[in-house]
Amino acid sequence: MEQVPLKIAVYPGSFDPVTNGHLDVARRAAMMFDKVIVALTHNVEKSPTFSIGERVELTRQAIGDVPNIEVDAFDGLLVHYVRQKGALVIVRGLRAVSDFEYELQLALMNRELEPRVETIFLAPKDEYTFISSRLVKEIAKLGGDVSAFVPPAVKTALARKFAARK
Ligand code: PNS
């Protein structure tokens, strides 16, 4: 019997830390593809609060139970990683028009670098559209409650991280 190739998508990001919005996008992607690789890396524009190991662990704890989701980390160019994994699709979440300019630029640049790879955008559930890792960190740092925005393990990790810094 002819082997049908698996439809694999890569959902890349810093996930510093992963939020309920990210998890919602990953779950939506998992309903559309045979396999989704949530791929964490370093964004050169940002200096992360959590190490890559911590971020991978927190993301795995939150979503590792979904059978067709894998959590991984990579270095280097995203399109190289995508091809190396046998994927042809990049998934990115789009929360608002303000995300669009950067996301379009990223998608077009990635297609220029690797024409076989397409980017698709998924909108998270509306109640998650205002969540960002940056705001969650700011709220946690200032003693606010982030339970509605992140999974429990991330809430605990944020509290520990900022307590240790005091
Ligand atoms: O969650 P973020 O920080 O918005 O994700 C941005 C990310 C990690 C997807 C982007 O910085 C990226 O793809 N980095 C890998 C390096 C790369 O391929 N850079 C060229 C992009 S055109």
Side-chain angles (χ1 to χ4, degrees), residues 25-89:
V25 168
R27 287 201 182 94
R28 281 170 201 281
M31 287 190 279
M32 301 169 63
F33 294 93
D34 297 317
K35 181 165 138 187
V36 173
I37 305 170
V38 179
L40 290 86
T41 192
H42 182 61
N43 181 338
V44 288
E45 304 289 325
K46 300 176 180 170
S47 52
T49 301
F50 292 96
S51 71
I52 191 81
E54 290 172 319
R55 284 182 274 145
V56 165
E57 189 49 40
L58 289 170
T59 308
R60 269 198 195 125
Q61 278 178 33
I63 208 156
D65 60 322
V66 181
N68 64 333
I69 293 185
E70 186 182 305
V71 180
D72 191 21
F74 72 97
D75 284 320
L77 273 185
L78 171 60
V79 286
H80 290 168
Y81 175 79
V82 170
R83 291 300 299 150
Q84 180 207 321
K85 289 289 170 180
L88 289 171
V89 174

Side-chain angles (χ1 to χ4, degrees), residues 69-161:
I69 293 185
E70 186 182 305
V71 180
D72 191 21
F74 72 97
D75 284 320
L77 273 185
L78 171 60
V79 286
H80 290 168
Y81 175 79
V82 170
R83 291 300 299 150
Q84 180 207 321
K85 289 289 170 180
L88 289 171
V89 174
I90 295 169
V91 172
R92 292 283 286 172
L94 213 49
R95 291 165 299 187
V97 176
S98 50
D99 284 341
F100 185 71
E101 205 169 296
Y102 169 67
E103 292 299 335
L104 183 66
Q105 189 180 19
L106 207 65
L108 295 180
M109 184 57 93
N110 281 327
R111 195 163 62 188
E112 192 65 28
L113 293 171
E114 176 48 89
R116 286 169 295 183
V117 172
E118 289 292 347
T119 298
I120 64 160
F121 300 106
L122 295 181
K125 204 171 176 196
D126 45 1
E127 68 198 63
Y128 299 137
T129 49
F130 56 86
I131 303 177
S132 75
S133 299
R134 186 180 62 79
L135 283 181
V136 162
K137 283 186 281 190
E138 188 175 319
I139 294 163
K141 202 174 192 170
L142 298 172
D145 183 9
V146 293
S147 343
F149 315 134
V150 293
V154 170
K155 182 185 168 181
T156 307
L158 281 164
R160 266 204 209 111
K161 181 72 72 180

